[in-house]
Amino acid sequence: MRTALLAAALCSITAFAAPKNPVVAFFPPTSNDVRLQQLALLMEARASELVEETNKVSELHLKQTLRVINEEGFASDLRLEGNVEALRIAAGADRAVAFSLEASGDQLLLSGVTVDGKKPKPFNAKLPKAWGPALEQGSVALAKALLAGAALPKKTTAQPTSSNDEALQQLGACYPVVLRQPLSVDTPALVDGAELERAVAACQKAVELDPSLRFANAVASLGQSILGGDAAAAKSLAALGNADDVLEIYTLARFWLLTRYQSNEAGVAFLQDIIKRHPGELIARAYLGDTQFALGAWADAEKTFQAYVALAPSSPWAQGRLSKALARQGKHTEAIAAAKKAFLLSPSSPETRLELGSRYIDAGSLAEAQETLEPLSKLTPPRGEHLLRLGWAHWLEGELDAAEAYFTRAVDTATSPGEWRTRGRAAYDLALVEAKRGRTREAAAQLKAAYATGFKVKELDPSLAAAAKEMERADMEKKAQSPAKTVTPREASLFPVNAFGDVDTGAKKPPAPEGLILFRF
């Protein structure tokens, strides 16, 4: 009898358990007009805040969606419903909205589609041409489409909003540039300084035109932080308050400055506080986990990504990050299981395949790693990092010819400015191959090519000692005394970067810029 009652109670709990909040996402808007695309991005930003205010969803920030598009090499037309559905799956969202904004006579036409794995639901709205009212009406239409029937708050503080069209147009010129900056926690990110400086100036102009446009202050602060203008960033941020933490851009800017100047612990505590108050803000969870990665706090990162996966079980990215946290603790069986889950969620994804192959390498299962990674070498075009990882699996197996072939292809493929480390690492690995063959002169040439990219290692592999001596001593001394002469792209990094190109989380913090409000925890 007692067993029956317990079973009934458990069934009752299951029946009345609150359903998981859906994971939702807006995708980048399309338009044939650059200015209208800028307005559409502002609509998306405000709609995102409206959606978050309901507390009924877990939401992917547009920066997270852009990361998925970049990593997956997704170039399909988002005006086609099938492509929108494919991106929804890759992003791990339960529901997503893609939309476009075009001129239509004396009005604007907002048209889009909501996808959720079932029948796509098209929608459209006619909007006025004036930016202020178009922004407000368009953002409401987008939020309603993403929420699929859930009511919006009757009162809202959602940003951006303004009655000054010129201010919004300046913000429109600024926001897309800052938005697409790749803000990586554990690796430096490539920066186009001139473009970003122009964007920040446009945001500052927007604030001059409408001081109530808090969103512009937040965007300016993040842009200034990326540029290294932290005094200006702190000043822009000081115009905002704790209530503005609903603005994800504010969250990122404040996190960046606190971590850079107060302490690593302050940055982590700030993100944890944001997550407590805004549990559905998935970008805060992503940055928290990645910061714990950078700090080597693998057990903490595991907990963070376990919590992320609980909210977003269909996220291949979160499953992949969880697998890495497990692997770094030596939990290889669990790590491979998590990576397999990510791969099953998105089997056509190059990133989930790369994660699974990497977990096999971590576990020493080199044959499985090679089998998993081999299809990546056949992509058109292939990626240098993929070829480098596959070559390393062959190197560890002692298969020098195969390793050399993939390392060489990695050098030839990693040609973009942001891939200089991949190019340098591949040349260094080729030096290892030549040293293993006893070809000291050839190893020295590859080592010199690696150094020429700006790549360095903390400790030279012992097998390359003879190759290093083979290199001209004068040339080596010149590089040691004048490292600035090695031309590398301008990069931004949350943490200082040491001489080896690695983030240095233990470096002493510089004095905080005037006006930076410290986080008490």
Side-chain angles (χ1 to χ4, degrees), residues 202-271:
C203 264
Q204 291 171 323
K205 181 65 175 177
V207 174
E208 289 176 15
L209 291 166
D210 183 355
S212 71
L213 195 50
R214 305 190 313 279
F215 190 85
N217 261 322
V219 178
S221 179
L222 183 57
Q224 289 158 336
S225 298
I226 297 168
L227 285 168
D230 294 324
K235 183 178 179 181
S236 295
L237 209 59
L240 305 170
N242 287 337
D244 289 301
D245 62 14
V246 294
L247 302 176
E248 283 92 343
I249 295 293
Y250 165 89
T251 295
L252 295 182
R254 183 143 168 72
F255 159 68
W256 191 276
L257 291 175
L258 289 173
T259 306
R260 184 179 283 174
Y261 289 104
Q262 184 175 349
S263 68
N264 300 338
E265 294 77 15
V268 167
F270 172 70
L271 288 178

Side-chain angles (χ1 to χ4, degrees), residues 38-59:
Q38 293 172 352
L39 174 57
L41 280 167
L42 298 185
M43 289 180 185
E44 182 281 329
R46 187 170 189 272
S48 179
E49 300 301 333
L50 289 169
V51 167
E52 185 180 339
E53 286 179 348
T54 68
N55 293 315
K56 294 179 180 178
V57 298
S58 295
E59 188 175 7

Side-chain angles (χ1 to χ4, degrees), residues 87-420:
L87 183 56
R88 179 191 70 81
I89 294 170
D94 298 312
R95 190 185 310 133
V97 162
F99 68 101
S100 64
L101 185 66
E102 303 291 357
S104 178
D106 60 352
Q107 293 181 303
L108 301 177
L109 177 62
L110 172 69
S111 57
V113 63
T114 304
V115 296
D116 58 4
K118 302 173 185 176
K119 185 178 180 180
K121 302 176 183 64
F123 64 91
N124 60 71
K126 289 289 186 73
L127 306 174
K129 279 198 169 180
W131 277 46
L135 172 57
E136 295 214 11
Q137 294 174 35
S139 60
V140 168
L142 290 171
K144 287 181 176 179
L146 190 61
L147 289 171
L152 294 176
K154 292 182 179 180
K155 292 184 178 180
T156 178
T157 59
Q159 285 268 322
T161 183
S162 175
S163 59
N164 188 319
D165 276 16
E166 186 181 354
L168 290 174
Q169 288 162 7
Q170 291 291 338
L171 176 59
C174 165
Y175 178 55
V177 176
V178 176
L179 179 69
R180 66 172 177 262
Q181 300 302 313
L183 291 180
S184 174
V185 170
D186 50 3
T187 55
L190 196 64
V191 171
D192 183 337
E195 181 187 38
L196 194 51
E197 286 167 2
R198 288 193 297 271
V200 168
C203 264
Q204 291 171 323
K205 181 65 175 177
V207 174
E208 289 176 15
L209 291 166
D210 183 355
S212 71
L213 195 50
R214 305 190 313 279
F215 190 85
N217 261 322
V219 178
S221 179
L222 183 57
Q224 289 158 336
S225 298
I226 297 168
L227 285 168
D230 294 324
K235 183 178 179 181
S236 295
L237 209 59
L240 305 170
N242 287 337
D244 289 301
D245 62 14
V246 294
L247 302 176
E248 283 92 343
I249 295 293
Y250 165 89
T251 295
L252 295 182
R254 183 143 168 72
F255 159 68
W256 191 276
L257 291 175
L258 289 173
T259 306
R260 184 179 283 174
Y261 289 104
Q262 184 175 349
S263 68
N264 300 338
E265 294 77 15
V268 167
F270 172 70
L271 288 178
Q272 289 171 332
D273 185 62
I274 289 291
I275 290 167
K276 285 180 183 177
R277 287 184 285 122
H278 306 286
E281 198 171 294
L282 294 178
I283 194 169
R285 295 179 183 273
Y287 273 94
L288 175 60
D290 282 354
T291 302
Q292 290 162 334
F293 274 178
L295 297 174
W298 303 112
D300 291 338
E302 178 189 346
K303 292 176 183 176
T304 296
F305 284 113
Q306 287 281 17
Y308 193 123
V309 166
L311 290 175
S314 297
S315 170
W317 179 82
Q319 292 281 6
R321 300 305 272 176
L322 174 60
S323 79
K324 180 177 178 180
L326 291 164
R328 294 300 179 268
Q329 299 174 79
K331 301 177 181 179
H332 296 301
T333 300
E334 295 172 64
I336 289 172
K340 283 182 176 178
K341 285 182 181 178
F343 183 71
L344 290 173
L345 286 168
S346 189
S348 63
S349 163
E351 285 304 304
T352 60
R353 184 175 289 277
L354 181 66
E355 285 289 349
L356 180 56
S358 299
R359 296 297 82 80
Y360 281 131
I361 290 176
D362 293 336
S365 302
L366 300 178
E368 290 88 344
Q370 292 172 18
E371 182 181 359
T372 301
L373 295 171
E374 175 65 27
L376 296 178
S377 69
K378 299 174 182 177
L379 294 177
T380 305
R383 297 186 185 180
E385 180 60 29
H386 297 168
L387 297 168
L388 186 61
R389 200 76 55 92
L390 180 54
W392 191 247
H394 284 283
W395 162 259
L396 292 174
E397 195 78 296
E399 299 167 353
L400 299 188
D401 289 345
E404 179 186 28
Y406 286 119
F407 292 152
T408 300
R409 286 184 64 193
V411 169
D412 295 338
T413 301
T415 56
S416 70
E419 293 180 293
W420 66 272

